Amino acid sequence: EVVVVTFFILLFGEVLPIGGVKEKVSGAFKQGIKEIILPEQNRLNAEEISKEIKEKIKIHFVRNFDEVRQIVFGE
């Protein structure tokens, strides 16, 4: 199961960074989510996520919608 936590996609497909990464990932983890897609620009924010959660959840970092589509639909 993959969940897109939240991000903004511009008309030309660029994925923009978000705020509250730690809280969003923690909340998704508590709901049983095993995979999350986050903007590449939030990679440093992922360091704030607890080690316990990072060991049990897969985080995909993406730059554009094509990468999102590939993860979600396997295209």
Side-chain angles (χ1 to χ4, degrees):
E1 183 174 322
V2 176
V3 63
V4 176
V5 177
T6 184
F7 52 73
F8 298 101
I9 299 176
L10 297 178
L11 289 176
F12 51 89
E14 180 184 3
V15 173
L16 299 179
I18 59 168
V21 170
K22 178 182 175 182
E23 294 79 10
K24 289 173 181 163
V25 172
S26 295
F29 176 74
K30 288 176 185 175
Q31 294 300 313
I33 302 300
K34 303 289 186 213
E35 291 188 60
I36 293 179
I37 300 172
L38 292 173
E40 177 64 42
Q41 293 167 313
N42 287 109
R43 188 177 288 271
L44 289 177
N45 301 109
E47 293 177 11
E48 301 171 0
I49 301 167
S50 75
K51 184 178 178 182
E52 173 193 353
I53 292 175
K54 285 198 274 189
E55 289 174 351
K56 297 178 181 176
I57 201 164
K58 182 171 184 175
I59 301 175
H60 303 272
F61 292 96
V62 298
R63 291 180 191 89
N64 57 56
F65 183 72
D66 288 336
E67 293 175 358
V68 173
R69 188 175 56 231
Q70 184 177 9
I71 293 165
V72 174
F73 300 112
E75 296 178 357

